């Protein structure tokens, strides 16, 4: 037995039957819903309760992250959009035309995260445009988190359905 067979036996490349894929999916979505525009959501809750310096820290952190995010988008947004579209198209073609399960799994992780990225851009632009602070900023960040969680729930549901279909069809057909 050679070394690459050993590695592929240790790391199952069939993504939807691999426990590590499902752990990664859970970590990705829990992280995405906890960090709202680069700010931990518990900071939003603490600012709501405590106010004062905690709220000022929240506003400063959001301002820094929004300015940084919008600077990057304005500087290289079209290039990033082109690269993301290329990668998603490549994963989609490899996954569903060429039937590569690993590409399907990556697509089902990456595509919904691009929606969250677009949501981040929209929220950052709204915060900058309206110069939000205080209660308005906390409401906007809470709404953003709710939308992110909705995208995450839908993505996990679709991924679970597709993963069950893949596992059942490969199990019936003999893989």
């Amino acid at each position: 037995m050679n070394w690459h067979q050993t590695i592929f036996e240790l790391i199952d490349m069939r993504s939807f039957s691999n426990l590590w894929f499902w752990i990664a999916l859970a970590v990705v979505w829990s992280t995405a819903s906890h960090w709202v525009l680069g700010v931990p959501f518990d900071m939003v809750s603490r600012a709501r309760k405590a106010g004062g310096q905690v709220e000022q820290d929240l506003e400063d952190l959001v301002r820094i992250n929004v300015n940084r995010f919008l600077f990057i988008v304005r500087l290289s947004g079209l290039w990033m959009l082109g690269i993301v579209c290329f990668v998603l198209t490549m994963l989609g073609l490899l996954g569903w035309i060429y039937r590569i399960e690993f590409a399907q799994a990556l697509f089902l992780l990456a595509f919904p995260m691009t929606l969250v990225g677009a949501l981040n851009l929209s929220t950052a632009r709204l915060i900058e445009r309206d110069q939000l602070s205080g209660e308005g900023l906390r409401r906007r960040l809470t709404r953003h988190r709710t939308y992110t969680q909705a995208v995450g729930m839908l993505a996990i549901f679709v991924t679970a359905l597709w993963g069950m279909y893949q596992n059942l069809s490969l199990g019936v057909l003999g893989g």
Side-chain angles (χ1 to χ4, degrees):
M1 183 179 269
N2 53 21
W3 64 272
H4 55 56
Q5 284 178 322
T6 306
I7 289 175
F8 281 118
E9 282 183 16
L10 182 64
I11 304 170
D12 183 13
M13 294 307 280
R14 286 197 44 235
S15 303
F16 298 113
S17 63
N18 192 334
L19 178 63
W20 290 109
F21 170 75
W22 298 104
I23 291 172
L25 183 72
V27 167
V28 163
W29 285 110
S30 66
T31 303
S33 68
H34 178 69
W35 291 88
V36 180
L37 288 177
V39 177
F41 192 74
D42 63 291
M43 193 171 188
V44 176
S45 302
R46 282 187 297 142
R48 179 175 288 119
K49 292 176 186 171
Q53 184 60 44
V54 177
E55 187 159 16
Q56 185 61 47
D57 291 345
L58 172 69
E59 291 174 4
D60 291 341
L61 192 53
V62 169
R63 180 184 46 79
I64 290 167
N65 287 334
V66 163
N67 288 341
R68 182 176 172 271
F69 184 68
L70 291 177
F71 172 76
I72 291 169
V73 167
R74 289 176 182 135
L75 184 67
S76 58
L78 287 177
W79 281 101
M80 289 184 338
L81 178 65
I83 291 168
V84 166
C85 288
F86 170 77
V87 169
L88 287 175
T89 301
M90 180 188 65
L91 287 173
L93 290 173
L94 286 172
W96 281 275
I97 301 298
Y98 293 103
R99 303 275 187 225
I100 298 173
E101 187 175 317
F102 187 67
Q104 292 173 356
L106 288 178
F107 182 87
L108 290 170
L109 278 171
F111 178 71
M113 289 307 294
T114 60
L115 299 178
V116 171
L119 183 61
N120 284 340
L121 177 60
S122 173
T123 301
R125 285 187 173 157
L126 288 171
I127 290 171
E128 181 188 53
R129 183 193 70 193
D130 298 339
Q131 295 295 308
L132 294 176
S133 63
E135 179 60 30
L137 178 62
R138 290 191 309 269
R139 263 196 319 267
R140 175 62 59 191
L141 292 175
T142 302
R143 186 175 303 133
H144 176 80
R145 182 178 192 225
T146 303
Y147 293 156
T148 300
Q149 288 174 332
V151 170
M153 286 189 307
L154 182 63
I156 290 170
F157 179 73
V158 168
T159 303
L161 284 179
W162 184 254
M164 285 187 286
Y165 171 75
Q166 285 293 100
N167 288 333
L168 290 174
S169 67
L170 287 175
V172 169
L173 297 175

